[in-house]
DNA sequence: AATCCGGGGAT
DNA sequence: ATCCCAGGATT
């Protein structure tokens, strides 16, 4: 198999597909994934939603979120007309919540600027919030069969190995070369299938560890395969130490089992999500509430510490439960602080560790003694 | 160019 | 425990 340009006879039509794409498409016709939820039906809205959910998130994780989301909000118009809190609630647990906020804003911009539809031109699409070069290309390829190259984690791995490209793909020079290679292989027809094919190859055959080279349609011309470098390519990100931050979370529960929650600030981690009062210590965590009343009438207990990992730092959380026995005075006019009954938590946009913590809480009927662990 | 932004699957 | 995933925005 030869990959690259063919010297064509002057009167032949232009070559529109290199052998890389031909072999890949032939493999895809037999082994590709054709039953993913966003493929049936494959509308621009559903493709867009799936692409955004799939940013830095694996297919298996996305599927149940996608199903729930399109059931609740079947169209772009539905999304544009729903409150942001509802979008965050549907996104809760998926992470990278700026994706949800951008998705929502994007839908409203489409209503205002694009006649209620997602644009079908590269420039207009990539200008929208949360849609970068690769996501725009994927949407145009999958929803409109337009010829644009994508470059995601799967494609990076396939191309780095196939061409024997060294260097960490995060380096701008390496990334630029990967984009060039991605464009060089992208055909002008069957683009939707090709785009799905190269991602499927990366996910199913050219896997990060133990690639199934014997099943690969491209192994004949794969440089990494030939040189025994499949385990070294692509080169990993240079790792660095991740710091640990300690955090106290305060669970204030009233006599009827309601929980006091605060909306997170608009920037930073968990932006605009509902979460527990938190701080470096019990004092700073309880700073915002009328502490005098609360502590005079409540029982305080320390719950088991737990860890939560982000990509760039680790959290050590000490949860403390403050059980209020007498009715708590109403909260002053503040849309960002409120009491929530346990049955209301399901639809709320909560950080995953907070959701887990609240779900594991001991029932309030039992006196809450400090754990003897 | 480096950092921030979550959560979880795979090993 | 470590890597990294259908990346994009910000600094």
């Amino acid at each position: 198999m030869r990959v690259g340009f063919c010297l064509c006879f002057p009167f032949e039509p232009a070559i529109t597909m290199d052998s890389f794409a031909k072999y890949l498409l032939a493999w895809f016709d037999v082994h590709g994934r054709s039953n993913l939820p966003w493929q049936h039906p494959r509308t621009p809205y559903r493709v867009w939603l799936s692409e955004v959910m799939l940013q830095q998130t694996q297919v298996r994780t996305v599927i149940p979120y996608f199903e729930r989301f399109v059931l609740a909000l079947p169209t772009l118009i539905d999304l544009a007309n729903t409150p942001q809190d509802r979008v965050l609630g549907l996104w809760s647990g998926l992470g990278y919540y700026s994706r949800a906020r951008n998705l929502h804003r994007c839908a409203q911009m489409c209503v205002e600027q694009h006649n209620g539809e997602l644009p079908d031109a590269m420039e207009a699409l990539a200008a929208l919030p949360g849609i970068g070069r690769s996501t725009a290309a994927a949407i145009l390829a999958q929803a409109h069969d337009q010829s644009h190259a994508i470059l995601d984690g799967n494609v990076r791995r396939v191309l780095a190995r196939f061409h024997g490209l060294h260097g960490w793909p995060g380096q701008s020079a390496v990334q630029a070369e990967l984009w060039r290679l991605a464009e060089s292989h992208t055909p002008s027809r069957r683009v939707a299938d090709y785009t799905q094919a190269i991602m499927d190859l990366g996910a199913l055959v050219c896997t990060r560890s133990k690639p199934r080279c014997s099943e690969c349609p491209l192994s004949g011309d794969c440089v990494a395969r030939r040189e025994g470098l499949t385990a070294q390519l692509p080169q990993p990100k240079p790792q660095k130490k991740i710091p640990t931050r300690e955090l106290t979370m305060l669970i204030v529960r009233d006599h009827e089992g309601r929980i006091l929650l605060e909306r997170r600030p608009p920037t930073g981690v968990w932006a605009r999500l509902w979460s527990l009062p938190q701080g470096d210590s019990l004092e700073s965590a309880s700073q915002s509430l009328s502490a005098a009343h609360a502590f005079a009438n409540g029982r305080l207990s320390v719950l088991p510490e737990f860890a939560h990992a982000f990509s760039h730092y680790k959290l050590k959380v000490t949860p403390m439960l403050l059980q209020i026995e007498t009715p708590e005075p109403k909260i002053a006019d503040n849309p960002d602080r409120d009491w929530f009954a346990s049955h209301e938590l399901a639809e709320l946009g909560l950080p995953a560790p907070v959701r887990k913590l609240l779900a594991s809480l001991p029932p309030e009927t039992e006196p809450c003694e400090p754990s003897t662990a």
Side-chain angles (χ1 to χ4, degrees):
Chain A
M1 175 172 66
R2 296 186 56 81
V3 171
F5 294 102
C6 292
L7 291 176
C8 304
F9 210 67
F11 300 107
E12 279 190 42
I15 294 299
T16 58
M17 204 178 291
D18 69 5
S19 52
F20 182 101
K22 284 180 183 169
Y23 280 88
L24 189 54
L25 281 164
W27 172 86
F28 172 78
D29 288 334
V30 181
H31 298 105
R33 289 181 289 194
S34 55
N35 262 330
L36 296 169
W38 39 91
Q39 296 173 325
H40 306 286
R42 193 157 61 176
T43 66
Y45 172 68
R46 291 163 60 89
V47 169
W48 166 48
L49 175 62
S50 71
E51 289 299 333
V52 173
M53 283 187 167
L54 287 161
Q55 289 168 3
Q56 299 295 289
T57 311
Q58 294 180 355
V59 170
R60 179 159 305 173
T61 304
V62 163
I63 287 177
Y65 284 89
F66 177 86
E67 299 279 27
R68 190 170 56 131
F69 199 102
V70 292
L71 196 63
L73 303 171
T75 71
L76 187 149
I77 307 297
D78 296 323
L79 173 57
N81 288 335
T82 207
Q84 188 191 57
D85 268 350
R86 180 157 160 75
V87 182
L88 287 173
L90 290 165
W91 208 271
S92 175
L94 205 47
Y96 282 138
Y97 298 96
S98 65
R99 293 184 295 173
R101 296 189 300 274
N102 284 333
L103 192 83
H104 189 223
R105 194 151 59 93
C106 188
Q108 295 176 334
M109 290 173 68
C110 288
V111 167
E112 294 167 7
Q113 304 172 16
H114 298 288
N115 202 22
E117 289 184 357
L118 215 55
D120 61 357
M122 185 66 181
E123 195 162 332
L125 202 51
L128 291 168
I131 302 180
R133 179 177 176 181
S134 187
T135 298
I139 293 169
L140 293 175
Q142 301 222 12
H144 302 289
D145 212 36
Q146 286 184 28
S147 180
H148 299 280
I150 65 163
L151 186 60
D152 59 19
N154 290 309
V155 179
R156 276 194 293 274
R157 191 168 54 252
V158 170
L159 294 179
R161 284 175 176 164
F162 184 81
H163 290 283
L165 183 63
H166 291 254
W168 173 51
Q171 292 177 308
S172 49
V174 178
Q175 184 174 6
E177 176 64 7
L178 285 167
W179 272 112
R180 195 187 67 74
L181 294 169
E183 287 177 336
S184 77
H185 292 305
T186 302
S188 54
R189 34 187 195 90
R190 289 200 69 187
V191 190
D193 286 347
Y194 172 84
T195 300
Q196 187 64 48
I198 194 166
M199 290 189 290
D200 287 354
L201 190 77
L204 304 174
V205 174
C206 196
T207 48
R208 184 162 65 86
S209 62
K210 298 183 183 177
R212 300 162 174 82
C213 297
S214 63
E215 302 172 24
C216 180
L218 306 174
S219 62
D221 275 342
C222 178
V223 173
R225 171 65 164 167
R226 190 166 64 233
E227 300 183 355
L229 292 175
T230 55
Q232 319 333 315
L233 298 177
Q235 281 181 208
K237 175 181 182 168
Q239 67 205 40
K240 46 184 182 177
K241 297 170 190 173
I242 48 178
T244 299
R245 301 182 194 175
E246 298 190 4
L247 188 65
T248 296
M249 283 185 172
L250 188 56
I251 305 163
V252 187
R253 188 164 60 180
D254 73 5
H255 64 298
E256 291 177 344
R258 290 181 298 230
I259 306 288
L260 179 65
L261 295 180
E262 298 178 349
R263 195 193 300 272
R264 301 271 306 161
T267 59
V269 73
W270 299 330
R272 292 192 210 280
L273 270 65
W274 287 95
S275 191
L276 294 163
Q278 67 175 62
D280 296 334
S281 62
L282 174 60
E283 287 142 17
S284 63
S286 57
Q287 205 166 27
S288 59
L289 49 106
S290 52
H293 174 90
F295 288 103
N297 298 287
R299 291 193 314 273
L300 189 67
S301 57
V302 181
L303 272 44
E305 176 184 293
F306 66 91
H308 184 72
F310 298 102
S311 48
H312 52 302
Y313 64 95
K314 182 161 38 169
L315 225 48
K316 262 175 60 180
V317 181
T318 303
M320 305 191 76
L321 175 62
L322 180 60
Q323 181 68 49
I324 308 284
E325 295 300 346
T326 63
E328 176 74 352
K330 274 203 153 183
I331 294 177
D333 255 355
N334 186 345
D336 296 334
R337 291 180 63 213
D338 207 345
W339 295 92
F340 293 92
S342 55
H343 66 84
E344 296 178 288
L345 299 178
E347 298 176 7
L348 228 48
L350 296 174
V354 173
R355 186 177 298 283
K356 276 187 202 167
L357 174 60
L358 292 178
S360 73
L361 226 50
E364 74 270 16
T365 52
E366 204 64 32
C368 300
E369 298 297 326
S371 173
T372 54

